[in-house]
Amino acid sequence: MIAETVCSAVSAAGLGIAVVTAYRRRFLAAARIAAYSLVPVGLVMTGVVGWLSDTAFSPTAWAGFGVLAGAWLLFATTRAVERRRTGAGADGGAATDTGSIRPGTTAPASSTPALRQGQGKGQTQGQPQSQGKRPASGDDFSDIEAILKKHGI
């Protein structure tokens, strides 16, 4: 009963503000305020406010929320355990080990990367001569130096 009174008072205040706004020739804003202020009265008339107040003060309703929370917790726990089991069983922990070959996998069509496929034929002047090998200690910064020289730095 208190909730219905509060909702009616809020609606009456909102309608008063809408009238003042319309008096100031802001009709679109006044219509929007009137629409918002009619929502609490509509909720009281449909019975939603009564249902919410009955639910908020009912121990049975709170016990039902507790049961729902427990069901959700069980569901989330079983999903987490299921993901952990299937994740460890499928990989077998070999995902990080690059030296081991898992059964059922196939070799790629080409073992060389796409950038190194044209290595022997027609190398341009900008490509280093030892692409597949580690550069000597003096050549560590040769690529960076070439880029800086190109930009005049």
Side-chain angles (χ1 to χ4, degrees):
M1 185 137 147
I2 292 174
E4 288 87 359
T5 306
V6 169
C7 287
S8 299
V10 167
S11 290
L15 288 174
I17 293 171
V19 167
V20 170
T21 305
Y23 180 74
R24 294 181 181 171
R25 306 265 187 223
R26 297 184 61 199
F27 297 112
L28 187 62
R32 189 174 299 127
I33 292 170
Y36 281 124
S37 66
L38 291 174
V39 169
V41 170
L43 291 175
V44 168
M45 293 174 82
T46 58
V48 172
V49 173
W51 177 80
L52 284 176
S53 64
D54 289 342
T55 303
F57 298 115
S58 170
T60 307
W62 284 105
F65 286 127
V67 169
L68 288 175
W72 179 84
L73 185 65
L74 282 172
F75 177 72
T77 304
T78 56
R79 288 289 294 165
V81 170
E82 183 181 40
R83 283 184 183 171
R84 182 171 289 208
R85 281 187 184 168
T86 58
D91 287 349
T96 58
D97 187 13
T98 57
S100 66
I101 299 174
R102 290 180 281 171
T105 59
T106 59
S110 174
S111 61
T112 59
L115 295 176
R116 294 186 187 168
Q117 285 179 352
Q119 186 175 353
K121 308 177 229 172
Q123 283 185 340
T124 60
Q125 197 174 21
Q127 291 179 339
Q129 295 295 327
S130 59
Q131 273 187 336
K133 300 176 185 173
R134 193 168 187 198
S137 62
D139 291 340
D140 286 342
F141 297 104
S142 63
D143 293 339
I144 297 171
E145 289 175 4
I147 292 171
L148 291 175
K149 285 180 185 177
K150 180 182 176 184
H151 292 286
I153 299 175

